Amino acid sequence: MSFKLLNIVACAAIAFVATSLPVSAQTVLKVGHFATGSDAFSETVNAFAAEVEARSAGHLKVQVYPAGQLGNEKQQISALQGGLQELLITTTTNLTNMSEPLRLLDLPFVFGSYADADAVTMSDTGAKLLSGLEEANLVGLALWDNGFRSFTNNKRPITTPDDMKGLAMRVISAPVFIDTFSALGAQPVPMPFPEVYSALETGTIDGQDNPALTVEMLKFYEVQGYLTVSNHMYSAMVVLASKPFLDSLTPEDRKVLEDVAVDFGPIQRKMVRAAADKAVETLEHERGMKVVRELTADQLAAFRAAVEPVVAKTVTDNLRPLYDEMVLKTQSSK
């Protein structure tokens, strides 16, 4: 074989090997969430994605899929369990059937302020609330914030439990939500979130509960006249990871992802809470809703008394120690 031909063969072999090797060691992560993609919450997810990429020096590339593009909550959770999706940011309520301790975060009036919520969700107690998820092939990396829930309806202002009587209110299909609204005298109507707007528009239901930011973001003001900033339940979000995916990462990349999820928590809270305050202003002054901005101490006491049986029912013997720990944390935050 001539030298020229040998040279051609050698070059071809080198080219083949080069194209057969991975072009980089970059790992791509798909993260799903259910905000619109153009709102304040979506901005926090995008900022988180950018921080992961920066902190990992580009080893981790995060692709963000808002608005349920990767499927509904059940579908995305299943994809994480099977290792087909890497991350999901969703409300903890969607995971209470897999981890009983998370039900404690949904208790009515369990937190009286953001300081109370932070004292639990940003502490070792928050880690304990998430710890049971690994049995379901999931890992809760951190608890983030979606704000306190407010009441909206199309009938009247809500300032006392009596104002709830007879209202058909959409609720999340979870026992603590159904029990809470029943205790307040409303007619709870479990319903998937994507169906809520049309049900409000047609009068199938009278109202619903969600953080004010969600009310503004999803344009519920178009079909609802009254908003009460009741803060009756806290809406915690979990940065949820696929355990098979995490186990496949190098120790260095896994630590980066875990650290950023936790470290980004205070920034995420600040962004969401500023947007929530602005949303209340917008709903009242630009969207025409009649807003009750704050319940009085007596009004809050009446709501708390009405839902005491719900707390007693939810806090079972096995959850009592963790619940007591939460109560101690909220007391120390005052």
Side-chain angles (χ1 to χ4, degrees):
M1 186 180 293
S2 68
F3 176 79
K4 183 176 180 181
L5 183 56
L6 280 170
N7 194 40
I8 292 172
V9 171
C11 290
I14 292 169
F16 173 78
V17 171
T19 55
S20 300
L21 292 172
V23 295
S24 74
Q26 190 177 69
T27 299
V28 177
L29 294 70
K30 299 183 295 295
V31 54
H33 67 92
F34 298 94
T36 63
S38 59
D39 59 284
F41 187 87
S42 298
E43 289 176 7
T44 71
V45 181
N46 294 338
F48 163 73
E51 182 66 15
V52 170
E53 293 183 21
R55 192 99 60 101
S56 68
H59 289 171
L60 300 176
K61 170 70 176 177
V62 184
Q63 298 176 344
V64 181
Y65 294 85
Q69 292 177 16
L70 297 178
N72 60 32
E73 291 93 340
K74 185 176 181 180
Q75 289 167 334
Q76 292 198 47
I77 290 169
S78 178
L80 262 68
Q81 291 174 300
L84 302 176
Q85 182 177 326
E86 291 74 31
L87 296 176
L88 170 65
I89 300 174
T90 186
T91 176
T92 56
T93 306
N94 290 323
L95 301 165
T96 53
N97 62 328
M98 299 178 182
S99 180
E100 191 179 22
L102 288 175
R103 296 176 188 176
L104 297 176
L105 286 172
D106 287 337
L107 286 173
F109 299 102
V110 69
F111 300 130
S113 65
Y114 280 126
D116 284 351
D118 291 350
V120 170
T121 60
M122 299 177 71
S123 71
D124 56 336
T125 306
K128 291 176 185 178
L129 289 165
L130 292 171
S131 62
L133 291 170
E134 294 207 12
E135 296 179 10
N137 232 19
L138 302 166
V139 178
L141 298 181
L143 288 167
W144 283 4
D145 184 81
N146 196 36
F148 281 97
R149 304 179 80 89
S150 296
F151 298 126
T152 73
N153 81 103
N154 235 355
K155 298 291 186 181
R156 53 186 173 266
I158 295 174
T159 58
T160 70
D162 284 344
D163 298 324
M164 297 285 289
K165 290 181 178 177
L167 293 179
M169 299 286 287
R170 178 266 174 178
V171 298
I172 294 175
S173 184
V176 69
F177 279 83
I178 295 170
D179 292 345
T180 294
F181 279 78
S182 295
L184 293 175
Q187 175 191 343
V189 182
M191 180 182 295
F193 186 66
E195 299 175 16
V196 175
Y197 184 97
S198 60
L200 292 169
E201 186 176 32
T202 59
T204 302
I205 52 176
D206 300 312
Q208 59 86 54
D209 79 314
N210 260 297
L213 183 58
T214 302
V215 174
E216 204 273 332
M217 178 176 66
L218 275 301
K219 299 184 178 181
F220 285 170
Y221 55 81
E222 294 177 343
V223 289
Q224 295 279 266
Y226 300 92
L227 170 77
T228 297
V229 184
S230 50
N231 295 346
H232 56 282
M233 286 171 158
Y234 178 68
S235 182
M237 306 294 284
V238 59
V239 183
L240 190 66
S242 161
K243 189 175 185 301
F245 164 69
L246 282 184
D247 291 344
S248 74
L249 290 176
T250 65
E252 295 79 13
D253 283 347
R254 177 168 181 158
K255 187 175 189 307
V256 166
L257 184 59
E258 292 172 339
D259 287 352
V260 174
V262 173
D263 295 347
F264 195 72
I267 301 170
Q268 191 271 345
R269 284 164 170 79
K270 184 176 181 180
M271 293 172 70
V272 167
R273 290 169 189 178
D277 290 341
K278 183 178 179 182
V280 174
E281 292 286 335
T282 300
L283 290 169
E284 183 174 19
H285 299 297
E286 298 180 30
R287 307 305 187 192
M289 294 191 79
K290 296 178 177 61
V291 176
V292 176
R293 286 177 170 265
E294 187 177 8
L295 297 175
T296 68
D298 288 343
Q299 289 167 343
L300 274 173
F303 276 105
R304 289 178 184 274
V307 298
E308 281 180 4
V310 180
V311 176
K313 175 183 176 181
T314 306
V315 182
T316 56
D317 290 343
N318 60 316
L319 291 179
R320 173 62 61 179
L322 191 52
Y323 173 75
D324 290 342
E325 184 175 321
M326 288 173 60
V327 172
L328 284 174
K329 285 282 172 66
T330 60
Q331 289 173 346
S332 64
S333 73
K334 294 179 174 60

